[in-house]
């Protein structure tokens, strides 16, 4: 299978774009970018989406209730709490004040993908002591499977690789990400954290022996890393190959039905179906409330073997979960199989670039080949990938489980009164952000601008 060679599309080393960026800190680098009309329009669009109250991704508007439940799913919460407290201990007093937020903080939904800083939330991990980075790595290890931790480490390594190719390690490196924590790490009360930046966004809620890691965004440009020193790997190969295998297993009529559009940027696409920042991806940053109708073929119309392959596709996206939570998640996904849909965009020859989506009431995954951003290809290529995992119908960021937790606490307060910390609607107490404070104006960023301008 030919994937093309990304090296044929490298920006010349003496290009003005690279020369002007070398040696700049990320905040200074971002200033002229965010003043452009294109960036300003994108920021305003994303800000409007961010300012909407959270509802969750749906297929037609109404949220389907009763899809998620509090349960013992075997997550090793004690290890995660120990690791989280290690992060707290490693941070300075000032860093800790910037990192810690209430569970319902608006900052949790303010993650992004571009390499230039779009806000100043939390701490940038390339600006803190090595002990902090080691502690954050320990927290990720405690929350993910071994394979999941390796995948996230390789995504960060691929970001550094891009910085190495262009001598822009000041902008793109393995720690050029924001890190925030939400709530108080504990074995019974909910808490969480997120990490986000170029080609990586992870949102993690821990609630007892359950863990929700959603939404996630992982990508790479290029997907193949070969430093010539013995380290080499290819990201998202399993996701690509399992999707191709499923699509090519379908008979001709089902492949036709599964194909929403034959071209990656198809003239038949309605306005908004392709977006310059997300291309075909529908569930990227700030799309927490998007209405995404089902497309393609329904899993119940597939053979048992094809259904098993569909589940293998999904598992290749959610296998960052530890073993017992992963098995619980896959059971949840399998129980919704009759109402699960498979759709495809682009050629299905297994060689050319493509997009696919698996969507059900409880999961949505996307795989998309993109055109160049730091490479010069003007058409999508197999060596630039974006992937997304969403939990539709209100459980991104674990919000539906949080709602149930606070509702149960409200009903069963130890003294027979309203449970501590719960509001009348079963939600935690509203933070300042819920009372009119703008999520981007809570302090200066590294350039002296407000956080909103820091976008």
């Amino acid at each position: 299978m030919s994937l093309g060679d990304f090296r044929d599309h490298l920006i010349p080393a003496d290009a003005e774009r690279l020369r002007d960026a070398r040696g700049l800190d990320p905040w200074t680098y971002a200033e002229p970018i965010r003043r452009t009309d294109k960036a300003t329009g994108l920021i305003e669009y994303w800000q409007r989406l961010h300012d909407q109250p959270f509802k969750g991704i749906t297929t037609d508007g109404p949220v389907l209730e009763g899809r998620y439940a509090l349960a013992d799913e075997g997550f090793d919460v004690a290890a995660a709490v120990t690791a989280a407290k290690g992060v707290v201990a490693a941070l300075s007093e000032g860093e800790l004040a910037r990192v810690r937020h209430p569970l319902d903080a608006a900052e949790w939904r303010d993650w992004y993908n571009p390499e230039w800083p779009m806000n100043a939330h939390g701490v940038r991990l390339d600006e803190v002591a090595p002990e902090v980075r080691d502690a954050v790595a320990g927290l990720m290890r405690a929350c993910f499977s071994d394979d999941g931790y390796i995948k996230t480490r390789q995504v960060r390594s691929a970001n550094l690789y891009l910085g190495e190719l262009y001598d822009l390690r000041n902008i793109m490196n393995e720690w050029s990400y924001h890190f925030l924590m939400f709530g108080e790490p504990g074995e019974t009360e909910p808490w969480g954290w997120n990490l986000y930046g170029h080609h990586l966004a992870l949102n993690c809620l821990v609630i007892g022996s359950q863990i929700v890691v959603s939404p996630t965004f992982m990508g790479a440009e290029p997907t193949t890393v070969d430093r010539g020193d013995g380290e080499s790997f290819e990201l998202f190969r399993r996701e690509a190959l399992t999707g191709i295998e499923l699509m090519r297993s379908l008979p001709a009529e089902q492949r036709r039905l599964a194909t929403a559009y034959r071209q990656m940027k198809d003239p038949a696409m309605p306005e908004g179906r392709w977006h310059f920042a997300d291309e075909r991806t529908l569930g990227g940053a700030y799309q927490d409330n998007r209405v995404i109708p089902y497309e393609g073929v329904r899993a119940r119309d597939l053979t048992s073997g094809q259904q098993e392959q569909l589940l293998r596709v999904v598992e290749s996206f959610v296998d960052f979960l530890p073993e017992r939570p992963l098995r619980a998640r896959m059971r949840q996904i399998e129980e919704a199989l009759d109402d699960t849909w498979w759709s495809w965009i682009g050629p299905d020859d297994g060689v050319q670039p493509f997009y696919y989506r698996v969507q059900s009431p409880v999961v949505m995954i996307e795989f998309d080949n993109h055109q160049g951003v730091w490479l010069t290809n003007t058409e999508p290529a197999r060596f630039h990938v974006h992937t997304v995992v969403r939990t539709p119908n209100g459980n991104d960021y674990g919000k539906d489980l949080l709602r149930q937790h606070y509702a149960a606490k409200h009903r069963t307060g130890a003294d027979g009164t309203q449970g501590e910390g719960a509001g009348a609607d079963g939600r935690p107490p509203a933070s300042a952000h819920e009372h009119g404070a703008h999520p981007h104006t809570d302090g200066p960023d590294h350039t002296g601008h407000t956080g909103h301008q820091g976008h």
Side-chain angles (χ1 to χ4, degrees):
M1 169 174 29
S2 173
L3 300 181
D5 188 345
F6 77 87
R7 294 181 183 274
D8 295 335
H9 303 278
L10 287 170
I11 300 171
D14 61 350
E16 181 180 6
R17 177 186 179 188
L18 304 183
R19 292 199 318 267
D20 289 350
R22 289 187 182 120
L24 299 181
D25 67 78
W27 311 96
T28 305
Y29 164 74
E31 285 183 359
I33 297 174
R34 64 192 184 197
R35 287 197 298 264
T36 64
D37 290 343
K38 197 170 188 178
T40 299
L42 178 63
I43 290 164
E44 291 175 351
Y45 166 57
W46 276 350
Q47 187 61 55
R48 289 195 301 271
L49 297 178
H50 176 268
D51 288 346
Q52 297 172 358
F54 177 83
K55 179 178 181 180
I57 284 176
T58 63
T59 57
D60 57 4
V63 171
L64 298 178
E65 305 287 350
R67 293 290 174 168
Y68 309 101
L70 297 168
D72 180 356
E73 293 182 347
F75 176 64
D76 187 352
V77 62
V81 169
T82 298
K85 290 182 176 179
V87 176
V88 171
L91 292 164
S92 70
E93 184 177 342
E95 290 167 345
L96 190 58
R98 289 156 55 196
V99 163
R100 302 189 83 164
H101 294 78
L103 269 172
D104 63 338
E107 286 87 348
W108 204 335
R109 294 175 50 211
D110 209 5
W111 57 273
Y112 61 79
N113 166 56
E115 84 286 350
W116 46 281
M118 294 183 66
N119 60 48
H121 303 327
V123 294
R124 287 266 300 195
L125 292 173
D126 54 0
E127 297 178 344
V128 299
E131 293 78 11
V132 176
R133 294 194 286 269
D134 290 345
V136 171
L139 177 58
M140 295 170 70
R141 285 184 181 275
C143 291
F144 299 152
S145 66
D146 290 344
D147 286 346
Y149 177 76
I150 290 170
K151 182 188 290 188
T152 60
R153 183 184 60 77
Q154 288 182 339
V155 170
R156 293 187 290 109
S157 181
N159 192 50
L160 170 62
Y161 185 60
L162 190 55
E164 292 168 344
L165 289 171
Y166 291 131
D167 191 20
L168 289 176
R169 289 178 289 271
N170 53 313
I171 307 297
M172 294 175 287
N173 59 72
E174 62 180 333
W175 291 110
S176 52
Y177 302 94
H178 298 255
F179 177 77
L180 292 81
M181 297 181 72
F182 304 91
E184 180 70 26
E187 296 191 20
T188 56
E189 290 302 300
W191 59 279
W193 58 271
N194 76 355
L195 179 150
Y196 62 91
H198 190 219
H199 277 151
L200 182 64
L202 306 166
N203 293 282
C204 178
L205 173 85
V206 175
I207 183 165
S209 62
Q210 281 180 285
I211 183 170
V212 177
V213 185
S214 174
T216 71
F217 182 110
M218 298 189 206
E221 180 194 25
T223 53
T224 300
V225 172
D226 186 355
R227 291 186 169 90
D229 60 359
E231 182 187 28
S232 62
F233 56 86
E234 181 184 335
L235 282 159
F236 311 116
R237 177 176 175 84
R238 181 182 171 205
E239 293 89 331
L241 294 181
T242 54
I244 289 169
E245 183 177 342
L246 174 58
M247 186 62 174
R248 292 182 62 78
S249 75
L250 302 180
E253 177 60 16
Q254 282 189 319
R255 285 164 75 173
R256 184 188 67 79
L257 291 172
T259 304
Y261 301 98
R262 297 187 62 83
Q263 300 179 50
M264 293 290 274
K265 192 175 181 181
D266 201 301
M269 289 177 174
E271 183 178 359
R273 182 60 187 85
W274 185 95
H275 186 271
F276 77 88
D278 291 320
E279 298 202 12
R280 286 145 297 277
T281 304
L282 298 174
Y286 302 98
Q287 301 296 335
D288 293 334
N289 298 328
R290 191 163 191 163
V291 176
I292 304 174
Y294 290 137
E295 292 180 300
V297 295
R298 208 167 187 168
R300 70 183 182 192
D301 296 325
L302 304 179
T303 66
S304 59
Q306 289 163 344
Q307 290 176 351
E308 291 174 3
Q309 179 64 18
L310 178 63
L311 291 172
R312 283 192 286 272
V313 173
V314 175
E315 186 163 346
S316 73
F317 282 74
V318 300
D319 63 355
F320 48 71
L321 292 170
E323 180 62 22
R324 291 182 65 188
L326 173 62
R327 298 276 67 87
R329 182 73 168 125
M330 289 305 299
R331 286 193 298 272
Q332 181 186 69
I333 291 166
E334 189 169 2
E335 287 168 1
L337 199 57
D338 278 356
D339 203 17
T340 300
W341 294 73
W342 164 260
S343 61
W344 184 276
I345 295 175
D348 59 19
D349 58 8
V351 176
Q352 297 182 74
F354 57 90
Y355 161 96
Y356 69 73
R357 182 169 83 252
V358 177
Q359 185 177 356
S360 85
V362 295
V363 72
M364 188 180 82
I365 62 170
E366 295 182 279
F367 179 104
D368 197 12
N369 287 130
H370 278 223
Q371 64 189 53
V373 174
W374 285 97
L375 298 171
T376 62
N377 53 294
T378 58
E379 297 295 327
R382 291 287 299 277
F383 46 71
H384 188 179
V385 169
H386 285 190
T387 69
V388 165
V389 177
R390 287 281 188 168
T391 309
N393 292 302
N395 207 36
D396 273 335
Y397 314 94
K399 283 187 175 287
D400 192 59
L401 293 185
L402 277 173
R403 177 190 60 79
Q404 294 179 53
H405 172 83
Y406 285 109
K409 192 171 182 181
H410 170 62
R411 289 194 303 269
T412 60
D415 59 357
T417 63
Q418 175 175 300
E420 179 185 356
D425 59 355
R427 298 179 62 223
S431 70
H433 298 301
E434 298 289 335
H435 292 291
H438 196 285
H440 294 281
T441 56
D442 51 359
D445 69 13
H446 290 63
T447 64
H449 299 298
T450 64
H452 179 68
Q453 290 168 313
H455 250 313

